Structures are given as C-alpha cells and as structure tokens.
Amino acid sequence: MAKIKAFKALRPKNTLVEKVAALPYDVMNYEEAKEMVKGNPYSFLHIDRAEIDLEENINPYDPKVYEQAKNNLNNFIDKKIFIREDKSSIYIYRQIMNGKIQTGIVCCTAIDDYINGIIKKHEFTREDKEKDRINHVDTCNANTGPIFLTYKKNIGISNIVELETKKSPIYNFNTEDKITHIIWIIEDEKVIEKLINLFEDVDSLYIADGHHRAEAAVKVGINRRKENKNYKDEEFNYFLSVLYPDEELKIFDYNRVVKDLNGLNLDQFLNLVSKDFEIEKLVDNESFKPNERHTFGMYLENSWYKLKAKKGTFNNKDVVESLDVSILQNNLLSPILGISDPRKDSRIDFVGGIRGLSALIKRVNEDMKIAFSMYPTTIEELMKIADEGKVMPPKSTWFEPKIRSGIFIHTLD
C-alpha cells in the first residue's frame, strides 16, 4: 500500500508562474542554464542552479552554491514571488504536448515507502550527484524538484481526476517548448481522504525519473530522524512527487553517439558488427528510426545503416538482457568500441530522442564519429525490471514532457 499526503505548498503567484517554472536542473549544462535565465529574474533556475548567479567557473558543488540557492529561495518568498497555501492540499498537474495529454497527482510520498520498496527504482545513482541534491535539499530546507512517479492505472483515482479537472484551474500557461501546463488544486478534505485511501490499494509506485532527487530526499529525512529521536509525522518524512498513471506516459528513445571506432577502419568495424547483427545499408541515405524491438539505426561516414540483432545474441527471458540498450551495449559498444562503462567513459554521449535524428547527424558532423538510433524502452519493461529488483543500463529512458520545477515546493518543516 502506497502512502500519499497533502501538503502546504509554496507556489508562484498566478501572474508569475510562467516565468518561474523551469526545466529540471539536470537536463542542461551551466552555459545553457545561464542562457535560459537571461532577462528573467524569476526563473526557478536561480534556485535549482544557483551557480549561475556566482562567479564563473565556480565548482557547482561549492558550499557557496547551496547558500546562494537558499538565499534566492528566501528572496523569492520575501518578494511574494512565492505564496504559501493556508491549508494542506493536493494538486492535479496536466501537460499537453503535440496533442498528447498526461495528468498527474502532485502530493508528498513517504520516505518509508522508498526504504521498504513500495516506491521502486530501476537505476543506480552516482554518489557525487546524490551529495549535490542532499546538500541542496538540506540547505534550502525544501524539496525543490518533484520526483516523477508512475503507477498502474486505478479507475477510482482516474474518476476523481476526471471530476476535479472539470473545475477551474489555478494555473494555465504555455512554456517556450510549446507545452501546455494546467494545474488544479484539491482542497476538499473528503476528496483528499478518498485519494489517500485509493492509493492505499496501489501496491507499488515506480520512479520514472528523479532517482538522485529521491535518494537525496530520503537520506535527508533519515538524517533528520537521527537529529529528532522522537520524530512522528514531520514533513521531512515525506518528499515531493508527481504520480502519473502508466498508460498516459511516453518514453522516448535515448540515442548514443561515440567519438571514434576504437582504432578500427570502416571495413574492420562492419565485419565485427556483422557477427551479431544483420546489416543493411540504406539507399538514398535515408535516416532510420527503429520501429520495432532489437533493431537499431547506425549513422557512420555520411551513411545510414539498419542493424538487427541476430538470434542468440541475447537472453530473451531476461528482462534486462533483452533490452535494446543492453543488446547494443553487450554486443557492440563494449566488445567492439571498447566502452565497458558508459557511465564513466568520455567517448560516449547520449541524445534524447525528442531532439530527432538530425541531432545525431549534427553531433557526428561536429565532434563524434558514429551514432546509434534506438527503439524506446517501454513502461512495461521499466515496471518489470523494478518489480524484479533489477536495474536498467544507464540512459535507458527519456521521458517527455518534462515536469517543470518551481511550480510546487515542499518545505521540510
């Protein structure tokens, strides 16, 4: 049974929400973040990426960065850019991208559910990124970015969402990426209680995106429990989340680009690839986006190829080994191109499918040698892996649209 909780949110006043709402801190680099805030003193990136307000070349993990984030947050509160709810509420957050709708429930979830495995993960986390978010949450005394969770669709929850979204929203705005964001507030205690009870019948919640934020929030909560031996139901026992039904989510492909052929020439490389993949060179240099599992596009020396994994190259009964990202990694990237650890190898980079195949061609023309277009991982695969307590290879999923940060903040006291 999953536990959710209403909370007294800090949120932007209506006239500023469009300027405050920002993409998650980890989908851009320093230069991109700096560019995004030009002419916009209200952007939440001043809190989520506070190094943009400090001297150039400062270490993003410097304590000054977290203090600046705290100061900026307090400044937003003092200037009434953020308002605090008078009563604990739950919210409904709808995003519309290219006509596709996904609607989630904004609430707090319990760190005990994470500890006990009711909130399930599918990725390893990196210690340096964990420490960054731990310091950020602890110093700001708040969850500033929601965890993106999914659950198997529940008709009772869907019925409440349908009824509540017939009411007038508190926010309705468009962002620069042409995505519509609509938010409703649920203040009725009886409706909130119904939602809480319905989620008690949900066996598992799954992290779709935000593993580092989740791990950090839990560790901050555990540390505060140590400092408060007689803790009960304080806010630090919960973290900010958005919960979406699985049927509404779309995972995009997460493509790969590599700097070189590991010392091989074209013929040598293709000969090695042909041992585990059927290779078809495409006519008229037509771009190839895979439309079925176990097929891959490959762009090399101004030509596109279609690759198809041969039988026997993977264990189809193993949910992790049969992922396309695993097949490519285990049969090509590692043995042929020498990329044994894609988390750490600087020769490989990853490009979200939302950018299109043109982004792969651009990277190969600029700073890479070869690109691979992927068939996207499915929500069903993600859930099965999490249910089995396994983890996906790095960069297996890319979700769109991204949940905007700064629309809701959950303070820890």
Side-chain angles (χ1 to χ4, degrees), residues 34 43 49 52 83 151 157 161 166 179 183-184 208 227 240 256 259 268 325 334 348 358 361 366 380 411:
K34 193 90 173 172
S43 172
R49 294 294 297 267
I52 62 178
I83 58 174
Y151 60 94
I157 297 170
V161 168
K166 290 178 180 178
I179 293 171
I183 293 94
W184 293 263
E227 297 167 0
L240 181 62
R256 276 79 170 127
K259 284 186 181 295
Q268 290 170 328
V325 288
S334 179
I348 189 170
S358 59
I361 297 171
E366 288 179 351
E380 292 75 19
T411 54

Side-chain angles (χ1 to χ4, degrees), residues 161-193:
V161 168
E162 183 179 354
L163 286 172
E164 293 297 319
T165 53
K166 290 178 180 178
K167 300 176 182 178
S168 297
I170 56 171
Y171 298 134
N172 188 340
F173 63 97
N174 296 313
T175 43
E176 73 287 344
D177 50 5
K178 299 181 180 178
I179 293 171
T180 300
H181 304 259
I182 311 173
I183 293 94
W184 293 263
I185 186 171
I186 302 176
E187 298 177 290
D188 188 315
E189 292 180 4
K190 291 182 179 179
V191 177
I192 290 173
E193 185 178 357

Side-chain angles (χ1 to χ4, degrees), residues 69-80:
K70 176 183 177 181
N71 292 338
N72 287 349
L73 176 57
N74 289 336
N75 187 45
F76 275 37
I77 296 170
D78 291 342
K79 290 185 174 180
K80 302 293 190 296

Side-chain angles (χ1 to χ4, degrees), residues 122-123 208 251-256 320 323-326 343 350 374-378 381-382 385 391-399:
H122 66 265
E123 284 184 8
I251 302 179
F252 284 76
D253 41 308
Y254 213 161
N255 302 312
R256 276 79 170 127
V320 175
L323 290 174
D324 282 1
V325 288
S326 297
R343 283 186 181 84
F350 306 88
M374 310 290 295
Y375 187 74
T377 304
T378 66
E381 288 171 327
L382 182 154
I385 287 169
V391 296
M392 287 184 172
K395 310 296 185 183
S396 294
T397 58
W398 181 278
F399 285 91

Side-chain angles (χ1 to χ4, degrees), residues 199-217:
F199 271 101
E200 287 181 352
D201 293 331
V202 173
D203 293 330
S204 301
L205 301 175
Y206 301 84
I207 299 178
D209 198 11
H211 283 79
H212 289 94
R213 293 191 294 275
E215 189 75 21

